């Protein structure tokens, strides 16, 4: 029996501390529920280790976020791909199955910031529910399916105003678990946030695992996961890791991020791979980003391939990391690009319609077989109504390792790009931002 003083001291405990204690107990209880072992894909805790089982066998995710070049991925020892939406999903699943690859299927939904526009509109929410329900019912028996990823970087928030968002998410979560008990469900966060992880468990009915997209922050991911294990002790995936993001690098005076060359990015892939928390007993695997070509700040920033399917040097690095064997042949290697003898960090300001010279410095003397393709493009945030935000400008006059070009007439931010191909399916890339002032 407690004394009167004990009771009074307990009564003086801060409400926030009491809530935190209750939340910790709640989280611990939520982490002890696991699906039965007769499911096609499930997660089981064995001692301190979490193990993902697929078709009765342990399965460690090793693959790429992206859905092209699947044969190359298989040849390099990859076993999993990830999509962000359901566009062409049947073809992707079938191609993955032909290459013995599993698929994490992304089910797209607007983030929590779309509260007023989307989640307070019952008709839109109901339409989303019916559309995703149809997808789950249609593909839940596909042999390539590994798990569902409900939304991407949705930004879970603690505000009571977010109730419509959480209600919609939980309704979808319940629907997926009911319609397809054979496959786990996850969602992603940027880097690792203990607050996000706590909210996922506190506000959501039940996620089977969390997924993390990490780039430069990958260097501290494992330490954060271990430090905050009391708040999140369940399994996780790294669903995106790769080159430093545009938000993590030096920028020009006009806020244009400075992109590394493909050779420098290959070095970063090698360094960051060693930072992956693959030895963490709660880690179920990792997916490199981006397996294909995409426009994100630039057409080359995250792209491991170009539009023609040619490989960058980072692909060779990944192959060696995965297999222990060096790739056949080496991609062209570049050091840096100079524009009028200046680098990107020099904040290059140019005048309209003037002749300028860009120069590419190679790691070794260029071979005769190399082909140099120079282009000038508007910066991707430079746009007007009805205008292509990535307009390719016909201003390059001539170019090899050095390029003579005429600057655009319109004031604003641009980049000059070079792509070096070796004729054997491998490329190197570099670019430099500049600004036109009249």
């Amino acid at each position: 029996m407690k004394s009167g003083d004990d009771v009074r001291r307990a009564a003086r405990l801060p409400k926030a501390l009491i809530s935190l204690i209750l939340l910790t107990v709640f989280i611990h209880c939520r982490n002890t529920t696991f699906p039965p072992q007769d499911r096609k894909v499930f997660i089981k805790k064995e001692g301190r280790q979490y193990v993902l089982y697929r078709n009765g066998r342990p399965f460690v995710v090793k693959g790429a976020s992206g859905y092209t070049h699947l044969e190359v991925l298989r040849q390099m020892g990859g076993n999993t791909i990830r999509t962000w939406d359901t566009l062409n999903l049947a073809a992707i699943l079938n191609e993955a199955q032909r290459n013995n690859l599993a698929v994490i299927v992304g089910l797209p939904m607007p983030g929590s910031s779309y509260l007023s526009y989307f989640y307070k509109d019952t008709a839109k929410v109901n339409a989303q529910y019916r559309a995703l329900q149809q997808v789950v019912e249609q593909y839940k028996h596909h042999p390539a399916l590994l798990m569902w990823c409900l939304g991407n970087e949705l930004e879970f928030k603690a505000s009571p105003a977010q109730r419509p968002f959480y209600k919609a998410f939980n309704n979808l979560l319940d629907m997926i678990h009911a319609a397809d008990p054979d496959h786990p469900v996850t969602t992603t966060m940027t880097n690792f946030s203990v607050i996000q992880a706590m909210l996922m468990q506190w506000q959501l009915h039940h996620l089977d695992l969390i997924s993390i997209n990490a780039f430069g922050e990958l260097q501290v991911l494992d330490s954060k996961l271990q430090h905050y294990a009391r708040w999140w002790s369940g399994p996780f995936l790294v669903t995106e890791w790769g080159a430093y993001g545009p938000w993590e690098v030096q920028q020009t005076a006009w806020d244009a991020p400075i992109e590394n060359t493909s050779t420098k990015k290959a070095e970063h892939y090698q360094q960051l791979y060693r930072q992956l928390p693959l030895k963490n007993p709660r880690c179920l695997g990792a997916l490199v980003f981006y397996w294909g070509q995409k426009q994100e700040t630039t057409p080359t920033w995250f792209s491991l391939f170009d539009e023609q399917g040619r490989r960058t040097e980072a692909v060779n690095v990944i192959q060696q990391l995965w297999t222990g064997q060096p790739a056949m042949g080496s991609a062209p290697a570049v050091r840096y690009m100079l524009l009028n003898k200046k680098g990107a960090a020099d904040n290059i300001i140019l005048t309209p319609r003037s002749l300028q010279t860009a120069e590419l410095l190679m790691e070794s003397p260029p071979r005769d077989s190399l082909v140099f393709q120079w282009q000038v493009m508007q910066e991707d945030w430079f746009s007007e109504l009805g205008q292509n935000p990535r307009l390719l400008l016909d201003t390059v006059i001539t170019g090899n390792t050095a390029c003579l070009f005429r600057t655009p007439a319109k004031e604003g931010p641009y980049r000059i790009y070079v792509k070096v191909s070796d004729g054997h399916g491998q490329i190197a890339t570099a670019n430099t931002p500049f600004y036109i002032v009249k």
Side-chain angles (χ1 to χ4, degrees):
M1 180 179 293
K2 292 184 178 179
S3 69
D5 288 341
D6 291 336
V7 173
R8 282 189 291 273
R9 278 194 294 269
R12 288 197 298 269
L13 281 174
K15 291 182 179 180
L17 179 57
I18 294 172
S19 298
L20 197 58
I21 293 170
L22 292 174
L23 178 57
T24 303
V25 173
F26 175 78
I27 289 172
H28 175 74
C29 293
R30 292 289 291 274
N31 280 341
T32 58
T33 303
F34 302 101
Q37 298 183 21
D38 58 351
R39 298 182 179 179
K40 293 179 181 177
V41 182
F42 65 92
I43 301 166
K44 182 182 178 184
K45 189 176 185 182
E46 301 176 349
R48 295 178 59 248
Q49 184 84 35
Y50 282 89
V51 181
L52 177 67
Y53 282 87
R54 181 177 185 233
N55 298 325
R57 296 181 178 180
F59 186 87
V60 178
V61 172
K62 183 174 70 172
S65 283
Y67 45 87
T68 58
H69 311 294
L70 303 192
E71 185 176 357
V72 175
L73 184 65
R74 175 183 58 79
Q75 292 170 350
M76 290 174 52
N79 62 16
T80 306
I81 62 170
R82 175 195 170 207
T83 74
W84 292 263
D85 55 43
T86 59
L87 188 66
N88 300 321
L89 183 55
I92 293 170
L93 286 166
N94 290 338
E95 180 66 13
Q97 179 64 15
R98 282 192 288 271
N99 284 283
N100 197 29
L101 300 173
V103 183
I104 299 173
V105 173
L107 299 175
M109 61 183 298
S112 59
S113 58
Y114 289 86
L115 191 64
S116 298
Y117 165 74
F118 190 87
Y119 289 104
K120 291 184 178 180
D121 188 324
T122 304
K124 290 179 180 177
V125 171
N126 289 342
Q128 173 187 248
Y129 183 96
R130 291 191 297 270
L132 295 185
Q133 184 180 40
Q134 183 178 356
V135 170
V136 173
E137 291 289 351
Q138 183 173 356
Y139 297 108
K140 65 183 182 181
H141 296 302
H142 199 287
L145 177 63
L146 182 67
M147 66 180 70
W148 305 100
C149 185
L150 183 56
N152 183 55
E153 301 178 1
L154 297 178
E155 295 185 29
F156 296 92
K157 300 175 183 178
S159 169
Q162 294 291 324
R163 286 172 184 163
F165 164 74
Y166 284 115
K167 180 181 178 181
F169 191 99
N170 279 323
N171 286 340
L172 288 168
L173 199 53
D174 292 343
M175 176 272 292
I176 299 169
H177 278 133
D180 181 17
D182 276 333
H183 298 95
V185 186
T186 187
T187 192
T188 73
M189 69 174 79
T190 53
N191 298 313
F192 176 79
S193 163
V194 63
I195 300 299
Q196 291 275 288
M198 290 168 66
L199 286 170
M200 285 179 182
Q201 296 182 89
W202 189 23
Q203 296 282 4
L204 306 182
H205 288 176
H206 179 68
L207 279 175
D208 298 284
L209 69 156
I210 63 170
S211 293
I212 303 162
N213 298 341
F215 295 86
E217 286 287 316
L218 191 63
Q219 300 174 75
V220 296
L221 177 59
D222 196 33
S223 62
K224 289 175 70 175
L225 283 160
Q226 294 188 43
H227 184 68
Y228 295 113
R230 70 180 67 183
W231 307 118
W232 173 255
S233 59
F236 66 89
L237 271 175
V238 179
T239 37
E240 293 179 13
W241 73 271
Y244 289 88
W247 60 91
E248 297 173 314
V249 299
Q250 184 178 357
Q251 297 187 337
T252 65
W254 55 93
D255 294 332
I258 298 173
E259 181 175 352
N260 287 306
T261 67
S262 58
T263 299
K264 179 59 67 174
K265 281 189 275 190
E267 294 176 13
H268 290 161
Y269 273 93
Q270 191 166 38
Q271 294 164 5
L272 290 169
Y273 180 83
R274 296 190 172 94
Q275 304 294 332
L276 283 169
L278 299 177
K279 294 182 180 179
N280 189 309
R282 297 181 285 133
C283 183
L284 303 182
L287 301 168
V288 69
F289 182 91
Y290 171 77
W291 198 256
Q293 190 281 328
K294 73 191 299 285
Q295 168 68 26
E296 190 164 337
T297 302
T298 74
T300 55
W301 198 290
F302 290 113
S303 303
L304 291 169
F305 298 80
D306 72 352
E307 297 90 338
Q308 286 75 46
R310 294 174 293 192
R311 310 180 189 189
T312 64
E313 189 176 347
V315 176
N316 294 341
V317 167
I318 294 163
Q319 179 175 345
Q320 185 166 9
L321 290 169
W322 281 357
T323 66
Q325 301 296 322
M328 294 293 292
S330 58
V334 298
R335 295 175 62 193
Y336 50 84
M337 182 196 296
L338 295 177
L339 180 48
N340 294 337
K341 303 299 182 180
K342 295 180 179 179
D346 293 320
N347 296 311
I348 302 169
I349 308 294
L350 303 175
T351 57
R353 302 186 184 91
S354 59
L355 287 176
Q356 308 292 338
T357 301
E359 180 183 6
L360 183 68
L361 282 80
M362 306 288 292
E363 289 288 358
S364 57
R367 305 187 298 269
D368 292 340
S369 59
L370 296 181
V371 176
F372 296 78
Q373 180 185 5
W374 293 83
Q375 295 177 323
V376 175
M377 294 185 189
Q378 291 177 330
E379 198 66 274
D380 79 341
W381 49 268
F382 181 83
S383 63
E384 295 177 353
L385 185 64
Q387 183 179 22
N388 184 346
R390 276 190 58 240
L391 181 64
L392 174 63
L393 302 170
D394 188 18
T395 60
V396 174
I397 296 175
T398 183
N400 199 333
T401 54
C403 168
L404 181 67
F405 71 101
R406 189 177 300 280
T407 58
K410 187 176 179 63
E411 188 174 54
Y414 299 84
R415 284 181 194 254
I416 182 164
Y417 294 81
V418 65
K419 183 184 294 183
V420 185
S421 57
D422 67 355
H424 301 287
Q426 301 190 95
I427 58 166
T429 64
N431 67 69
T432 299
F434 62 91
Y435 203 97
I436 297 297
V437 175
K438 292 185 178 181

